[in-house]
Amino acid sequence: MAVDELDTRILRLLLEQPRTSVREYARILDVARGTLQARLDRMERDGVITGTGPSLSPAALDHPVLAFVHIEVTQGHLDDVGDALAAVPEIVEAFSITGGGDLLARVVGRDNAHLEDVIQKLISLPGVVRTRTEVALRERVPYRLLPLVESVGRAARV
């Protein structure tokens, strides 16, 4: 979907001030509320905006250990293993990947022992051949989309 300059300004506000009302966004951007709402609806429909909930910190929820687990799966069992991963609360996201493994999961734990318990649970899932775990030491670049939004906005102006 093409994003124009107004869309970029809207997305920037959503990222910088996520708890502001639509009415206030319209005032800040100096556009009609209906125009703003139509843009938001279109970007939601097109999958640009995928959620509006709060960002939560696993560390603040007593799960400060973060690991990335590569999971190798028996051929033909990718969907089954993916479904089983969804039932493990410590897995905060998982992706099918290319390269060394079939799945990559972001896993959180209360401590290293708890992380090991979670990994042992993963290893015991039917269809899992092996896992390889990398523990994150420190976040260097937090999850962000604003630089991408700004880059897309600059490209839209050209």
Side-chain angles (χ1 to χ4, degrees):
M1 182 208 128
V3 175
D4 65 16
E5 188 174 347
L6 178 56
D7 293 335
T8 301
R9 291 172 52 215
I10 292 168
L11 293 171
R12 179 184 190 103
L13 268 178
L14 287 174
L15 292 168
E16 291 178 339
Q17 301 176 34
R19 296 175 60 123
T20 303
S21 70
V22 172
R23 184 178 190 184
E24 182 63 10
Y25 287 144
R27 187 194 66 72
I28 292 168
L29 295 168
D30 196 29
V31 298
R33 186 184 178 287
T35 299
L36 179 67
Q37 189 62 59
R39 295 287 186 120
L40 290 170
D41 292 345
R42 179 181 48 82
M43 287 191 283
E44 285 181 18
R45 189 174 52 251
D46 292 346
V48 175
I49 299 172
T50 58
T52 58
S55 275
L56 304 178
S57 165
L61 295 171
D62 197 31
H63 284 69
V65 178
L66 170 63
F68 299 93
V69 180
H70 297 260
I71 304 167
E72 188 177 323
V73 176
T74 304
Q75 195 165 11
H77 289 89
L78 191 61
D79 289 338
D80 296 334
V81 173
D83 291 343
L85 294 179
V88 179
E90 294 85 0
I91 295 179
V92 295
E93 62 183 341
F95 301 90
S96 299
I97 61 168
T98 63
D102 300 298
L103 295 164
L104 178 64
R106 182 187 302 241
V107 181
V108 296
R110 291 186 301 273
D111 53 34
N112 286 345
H114 179 231
L115 178 63
E116 181 183 6
D117 293 342
V118 173
I119 293 166
Q120 290 301 319
K121 186 186 303 185
L122 299 180
I123 291 169
S124 71
L125 293 174
V128 172
V129 175
R130 72 179 51 88
T131 64
R132 181 174 54 88
T133 302
E134 298 163 350
V135 176
L137 300 176
R138 179 181 298 153
E139 183 177 69
R140 298 294 180 165
V141 178
Y143 182 81
R144 77 236 171 102
L145 288 174
L146 186 54
L148 177 63
V149 167
E150 290 173 340
S151 174
V152 169
R154 281 190 300 275
R157 282 183 241 135
V158 175

